[in-house]
Amino acid sequence: IDLALAYYWGENDEDYGIGIYGIEKNDYEASKWLERAANLGNHYCQYLFGVQCYYGAGVHKNYQRAMEWFKKAAKQGNGMSYFYLFNM
């Protein structure tokens, strides 16, 4: 999960303290690792992977796929997923 977040946020995101990895933001790599973590049931990664599907960041834009991931995350209580579900 740390590697997925490192690629998603990049090394310049001080809020998450990821700069120690020295990894630059890379949407393609982030999507690969986020999807793996999402499939393992991590609600935050399910939400973030849904965001990538929604905007087409690192993956092809796919609203249906995004909605599926937002629903999975929302079932586990991820509040931001509800925001996207209500606005789709």
Side-chain angles (χ1 to χ4, degrees):
I1 295 171
D2 287 343
L3 189 56
L5 296 178
Y7 280 117
Y8 185 84
W9 296 111
E11 67 176 291
N12 294 326
D13 195 312
E14 295 176 9
D15 292 339
Y16 291 89
I18 294 173
I20 59 171
Y21 293 109
I23 294 175
E24 292 186 27
K25 181 174 175 57
N26 182 320
D27 288 333
Y28 173 76
E29 285 295 321
S31 66
K32 182 171 67 173
W33 291 102
L34 285 172
E35 184 174 22
R36 288 181 184 180
N39 281 319
L40 292 173
N42 182 286
H43 72 87
Y44 186 57
C45 290
Q46 290 171 342
Y47 157 70
L48 290 178
F49 189 64
V51 170
Q52 287 198 298
C53 292
Y54 185 85
Y55 290 107
V59 294
H60 292 289
K61 187 182 287 190
N62 186 327
Y63 294 125
Q64 182 63 36
R65 191 172 182 201
M67 184 180 292
E68 291 171 12
W69 284 110
F70 290 142
K71 285 180 181 178
K72 289 179 182 183
K75 284 182 182 178
Q76 295 188 68
N78 183 286
M80 287 302 298
S81 291
Y82 289 107
F83 171 81
Y84 279 92
L85 288 170
F86 288 127
N87 289 298
M88 289 185 82

